[in-house]
Amino acid sequence: MRKYLIFMTMFSLPLISVMAQKTEKFGAEINEKGALQPVEFIQEMDDKIEQEVKFVGKVNEVCQMKGCWMTLDLENGEEVMVRFKDYAFFVPKNAGGKTAVVEGRAYFDEVSVETLRHYAEDAGKSQEEIEAITKPEMRLSFVADGVILREE
């Protein structure tokens, strides 16, 4: 019996550890240490045009063409568009609902109607929704050097 318990302990602990982790990493190697919560991130960007930062947020939407961008919920009714540095990596198209830690450059940017329509098309929006986009938007944007995705 004792040998059985030792055997089960040796093989089940690594399995439990892997099962609990459920994280995926993309781009540059980053860690979660020091990642700001959405409210802290918003406060940090309050009086800045651009800044290097790391923060965590829930993935609202992912580009359904390639996974070449995603939006993160800022928990205040807004979201931030995250693209990936040098178009060097993508995230899974089914990452919606996961939690992401992103590290890189946040900045404010005016996004053209053409680009907004392109994003809407990538997101799988209807033609009617795409054509309803008629004005550029000032948006908080983000270029990520690295991303960690995890399931909660």
Side-chain angles (χ1 to χ4, degrees):
M1 179 69 166
R2 181 181 165 140
K3 287 181 183 178
Y4 177 75
L5 288 174
I6 291 171
F7 176 81
M8 290 304 292
T9 302
M10 286 174 41
F11 288 99
S12 63
L13 286 177
L15 180 61
I16 291 168
S17 175
V18 169
M19 287 171 50
Q21 197 170 11
K22 292 185 182 178
T23 62
E24 298 175 274
K25 296 183 178 186
F26 306 91
E29 185 67 32
I30 66 169
N31 61 54
E32 297 187 37
K33 186 178 181 181
L36 301 174
Q37 293 298 312
V39 68
E40 297 169 312
F41 170 61
I42 293 166
Q43 290 170 347
E44 193 69 27
M45 290 302 297
D46 190 37
D47 61 347
K48 298 176 180 75
I49 295 173
E50 99 177 55
Q51 176 173 327
E52 294 291 321
V53 67
K54 180 188 327 182
F55 80 101
V56 61
K58 183 179 175 193
V59 178
N60 283 343
E61 197 170 28
V62 178
C63 170
Q64 292 302 295
M65 299 299 282
K66 297 181 191 176
C68 58
W69 56 260
M70 65 182 172
T71 59
L72 299 182
D73 188 355
L74 294 178
E75 299 178 356
N76 65 353
E78 295 182 28
E79 58 187 18
V80 61
M81 169 71 74
V82 178
R83 290 174 290 137
F84 310 111
K85 187 174 183 179
D86 298 328
Y87 213 59
F89 63 96
F90 304 128
V91 297
K93 294 186 278 185
N94 66 348
K98 293 184 179 182
T99 297
V101 177
V102 294
E103 185 172 346
R105 183 175 62 95
Y107 60 98
F108 286 94
D109 186 31
E110 183 174 88
V111 183
S112 71
V113 170
E114 179 182 0
T115 300
L116 291 170
R117 286 181 172 182
H118 175 77
Y119 290 152
E121 186 177 329
D122 282 353
K125 304 285 184 190
S126 70
Q127 190 61 37
E128 193 173 89
E129 290 172 298
I130 294 168
E131 290 173 4
I133 300 170
T134 59
K135 292 189 249 180
E137 290 181 12
M138 183 60 76
R139 279 192 173 177
L140 179 58
S141 296
F142 197 93
V143 175
D145 298 325
V147 174
I148 299 171
L149 286 177
R150 68 174 191 251
E151 291 192 36
E152 294 294 307

PDB file of all heavy atoms in Angstrom, residues 81-94:
ATOM      1  N   MET A  81      -7.381  48.182 -27.631  1.00  0.00           N
ATOM      2  CA  MET A  81      -6.986  47.352 -28.767  1.00  0.00           C
ATOM      3  C   MET A  81      -5.518  46.985 -28.577  1.00  0.00           C
ATOM      4  O   MET A  81      -4.675  47.859 -28.408  1.00  0.00           O
ATOM      5  CB  MET A  81      -7.158  48.130 -30.078  1.00  0.00           C
ATOM      6  CG  MET A  81      -6.537  47.482 -31.289  1.00  0.00           C
ATOM      7  SD  MET A  81      -7.358  46.004 -31.866  1.00  0.00           S
ATOM      8  CE  MET A  81      -8.820  46.691 -32.607  1.00  0.00           C
ATOM      9  N   VAL A  82      -5.218  45.693 -28.598  1.00  0.00           N
ATOM     10  CA  VAL A  82      -3.850  45.195 -28.451  1.00  0.00           C
ATOM     11  C   VAL A  82      -3.426  44.559 -29.771  1.00  0.00           C
ATOM     12  O   VAL A  82      -4.086  43.658 -30.276  1.00  0.00           O
ATOM     13  CB  VAL A  82      -3.750  44.154 -27.311  1.00  0.00           C
ATOM     14  CG1 VAL A  82      -2.329  43.613 -27.200  1.00  0.00           C
ATOM     15  CG2 VAL A  82      -4.219  44.754 -25.990  1.00  0.00           C
ATOM     16  N   ARG A  83      -2.340  45.089 -30.309  1.00  0.00           N
ATOM     17  CA  ARG A  83      -1.708  44.471 -31.481  1.00  0.00           C
ATOM     18  C   ARG A  83      -0.350  43.952 -31.035  1.00  0.00           C
ATOM     19  O   ARG A  83       0.076  44.215 -29.918  1.00  0.00           O
ATOM     20  CB  ARG A  83      -1.586  45.485 -32.621  1.00  0.00           C
ATOM     21  CG  ARG A  83      -2.966  45.808 -33.206  1.00  0.00           C
ATOM     22  CD  ARG A  83      -2.942  46.897 -34.243  1.00  0.00           C
ATOM     23  NE  ARG A  83      -2.650  48.157 -33.559  1.00  0.00           N
ATOM     24  CZ  ARG A  83      -1.803  49.075 -34.001  1.00  0.00           C
ATOM     25  NH1 ARG A  83      -1.159  48.911 -35.127  1.00  0.00           N
ATOM     26  NH2 ARG A  83      -1.588  50.175 -33.330  1.00  0.00           N
ATOM     27  N   PHE A  84       0.338  43.246 -31.911  1.00  0.00           N
ATOM     28  CA  PHE A  84       1.546  42.549 -31.506  1.00  0.00           C
ATOM     29  C   PHE A  84       2.760  43.087 -32.249  1.00  0.00           C
ATOM     30  O   PHE A  84       2.724  43.257 -33.463  1.00  0.00           O
ATOM     31  CB  PHE A  84       1.353  41.054 -31.697  1.00  0.00           C
ATOM     32  CG  PHE A  84       0.053  40.599 -31.071  1.00  0.00           C
ATOM     33  CD1 PHE A  84      -1.005  40.170 -31.854  1.00  0.00           C
ATOM     34  CD2 PHE A  84      -0.138  40.687 -29.702  1.00  0.00           C
ATOM     35  CE1 PHE A  84      -2.211  39.798 -31.283  1.00  0.00           C
ATOM     36  CE2 PHE A  84      -1.345  40.323 -29.121  1.00  0.00           C
ATOM     37  CZ  PHE A  84      -2.380  39.876 -29.913  1.00  0.00           C
ATOM     38  N   LYS A  85       3.822  43.356 -31.476  1.00  0.00           N
ATOM     39  CA  LYS A  85       5.014  44.019 -31.992  1.00  0.00           C
ATOM     40  C   LYS A  85       5.534  43.364 -33.265  1.00  0.00           C
ATOM     41  O   LYS A  85       5.732  42.155 -33.323  1.00  0.00           O
ATOM     42  CB  LYS A  85       6.107  44.025 -30.933  1.00  0.00           C
ATOM     43  CG  LYS A  85       7.309  44.843 -31.331  1.00  0.00           C
ATOM     44  CD  LYS A  85       8.295  44.946 -30.223  1.00  0.00           C
ATOM     45  CE  LYS A  85       9.440  45.841 -30.646  1.00  0.00           C
ATOM     46  NZ  LYS A  85      10.408  45.982 -29.590  1.00  0.00           N
ATOM     47  N   ASP A  86       5.738  44.192 -34.257  1.00  0.00           N
ATOM     48  CA  ASP A  86       6.289  43.787 -35.553  1.00  0.00           C
ATOM     49  C   ASP A  86       5.478  42.696 -36.242  1.00  0.00           C
ATOM     50  O   ASP A  86       5.994  41.988 -37.101  1.00  0.00           O
ATOM     51  CB  ASP A  86       7.752  43.321 -35.405  1.00  0.00           C
ATOM     52  CG  ASP A  86       8.659  44.427 -34.902  1.00  0.00           C
ATOM     53  OD1 ASP A  86       8.400  45.606 -35.208  1.00  0.00           O
ATOM     54  OD2 ASP A  86       9.628  44.104 -34.183  1.00  0.00           O
ATOM     55  N   TYR A  87       4.215  42.521 -35.819  1.00  0.00           N
ATOM     56  CA  TYR A  87       3.354  41.498 -36.426  1.00  0.00           C
ATOM     57  C   TYR A  87       4.046  40.131 -36.339  1.00  0.00           C
ATOM     58  O   TYR A  87       3.869  39.266 -37.182  1.00  0.00           O
ATOM     59  CB  TYR A  87       3.085  41.880 -37.889  1.00  0.00           C
ATOM     60  CG  TYR A  87       1.745  41.491 -38.438  1.00  0.00           C
ATOM     61  CD1 TYR A  87       0.568  41.941 -37.876  1.00  0.00           C
ATOM     62  CD2 TYR A  87       1.662  40.671 -39.560  1.00  0.00           C
ATOM     63  CE1 TYR A  87      -0.665  41.583 -38.414  1.00  0.00           C
ATOM     64  CE2 TYR A  87       0.441  40.310 -40.102  1.00  0.00           C
ATOM     65  CZ  TYR A  87      -0.718  40.765 -39.514  1.00  0.00           C
ATOM     66  OH  TYR A  87      -1.938  40.411 -40.042  1.00  0.00           O
ATOM     67  N   ALA A  88       4.867  39.949 -35.278  1.00  0.00           N
ATOM     68  CA  ALA A  88       5.731  38.778 -35.163  1.00  0.00           C
ATOM     69  C   ALA A  88       5.049  37.569 -34.538  1.00  0.00           C
ATOM     70  O   ALA A  88       5.573  36.459 -34.621  1.00  0.00           O
ATOM     71  CB  ALA A  88       6.973  39.140 -34.351  1.00  0.00           C
ATOM     72  N   PHE A  89       3.919  37.768 -33.886  1.00  0.00           N
ATOM     73  CA  PHE A  89       3.205  36.649 -33.282  1.00  0.00           C
ATOM     74  C   PHE A  89       1.722  36.963 -33.237  1.00  0.00           C
ATOM     75  O   PHE A  89       1.320  38.111 -33.385  1.00  0.00           O
ATOM     76  CB  PHE A  89       3.743  36.325 -31.872  1.00  0.00           C
ATOM     77  CG  PHE A  89       3.572  37.433 -30.872  1.00  0.00           C
ATOM     78  CD1 PHE A  89       2.484  37.458 -30.007  1.00  0.00           C
ATOM     79  CD2 PHE A  89       4.501  38.459 -30.765  1.00  0.00           C
ATOM     80  CE1 PHE A  89       2.316  38.473 -29.077  1.00  0.00           C
ATOM     81  CE2 PHE A  89       4.349  39.483 -29.835  1.00  0.00           C
ATOM     82  CZ  PHE A  89       3.262  39.488 -28.989  1.00  0.00           C
ATOM     83  N   PHE A  90       0.930  35.929 -33.063  1.00  0.00           N
ATOM     84  CA  PHE A  90      -0.518  36.048 -32.978  1.00  0.00           C
ATOM     85  C   PHE A  90      -0.993  35.285 -31.750  1.00  0.00           C
ATOM     86  O   PHE A  90      -0.238  34.512 -31.162  1.00  0.00           O
ATOM     87  CB  PHE A  90      -1.197  35.474 -34.221  1.00  0.00           C
ATOM     88  CG  PHE A  90      -0.730  36.082 -35.518  1.00  0.00           C
ATOM     89  CD1 PHE A  90      -0.298  35.283 -36.556  1.00  0.00           C
ATOM     90  CD2 PHE A  90      -0.734  37.447 -35.697  1.00  0.00           C
ATOM     91  CE1 PHE A  90       0.122  35.836 -37.754  1.00  0.00           C
ATOM     92  CE2 PHE A  90      -0.316  38.018 -36.894  1.00  0.00           C
ATOM     93  CZ  PHE A  90       0.116  37.204 -37.922  1.00  0.00           C
ATOM     94  N   VAL A  91      -2.243  35.484 -31.370  1.00  0.00           N
ATOM     95  CA  VAL A  91      -2.853  34.715 -30.284  1.00  0.00           C
ATOM     96  C   VAL A  91      -3.942  33.830 -30.885  1.00  0.00           C
ATOM     97  O   VAL A  91      -4.420  34.092 -31.982  1.00  0.00           O
ATOM     98  CB  VAL A  91      -3.430  35.634 -29.181  1.00  0.00           C
ATOM     99  CG1 VAL A  91      -2.321  36.444 -28.518  1.00  0.00           C
ATOM    100  CG2 VAL A  91      -4.517  36.544 -29.709  1.00  0.00           C
ATOM    101  N   PRO A  92      -4.331  32.784 -30.165  1.00  0.00           N
ATOM    102  CA  PRO A  92      -5.382  31.911 -30.691  1.00  0.00           C
ATOM    103  C   PRO A  92      -6.700  32.667 -30.901  1.00  0.00           C
ATOM    104  O   PRO A  92      -7.062  33.528 -30.101  1.00  0.00           O
ATOM    105  CB  PRO A  92      -5.547  30.854 -29.591  1.00  0.00           C
ATOM    106  CG  PRO A  92      -4.281  30.886 -28.825  1.00  0.00           C
ATOM    107  CD  PRO A  92      -3.797  32.297 -28.892  1.00  0.00           C
ATOM    108  N   LYS A  93      -7.390  32.318 -31.961  1.00  0.00           N
ATOM    109  CA  LYS A  93      -8.659  32.982 -32.281  1.00  0.00           C
ATOM    110  C   LYS A  93      -9.744  32.686 -31.250  1.00  0.00           C
ATOM    111  O   LYS A  93     -10.719  33.408 -31.164  1.00  0.00           O
ATOM    112  CB  LYS A  93      -9.123  32.579 -33.683  1.00  0.00           C
ATOM    113  CG  LYS A  93      -8.189  33.083 -34.770  1.00  0.00           C
ATOM    114  CD  LYS A  93      -8.712  32.803 -36.155  1.00  0.00           C
ATOM    115  CE  LYS A  93      -8.400  31.396 -36.566  1.00  0.00           C
ATOM    116  NZ  LYS A  93      -8.785  31.117 -37.965  1.00  0.00           N
ATOM    117  N   ASN A  94      -9.548  31.665 -30.443  1.00  0.00           N
ATOM    118  CA  ASN A  94     -10.534  31.315 -29.422  1.00  0.00           C
ATOM    119  C   ASN A  94     -10.130  31.826 -28.027  1.00  0.00           C
ATOM    120  O   ASN A  94     -10.589  31.305 -27.018  1.00  0.00           O
ATOM    121  CB  ASN A  94     -10.748  29.805 -29.385  1.00  0.00           C
ATOM    122  CG  ASN A  94      -9.512  29.048 -28.931  1.00  0.00           C
ATOM    123  OD1 ASN A  94      -8.422  29.600 -28.844  1.00  0.00           O
ATOM    124  ND2 ASN A  94      -9.681  27.766 -28.656  1.00  0.00           N
TER     125      ASN A  94
END
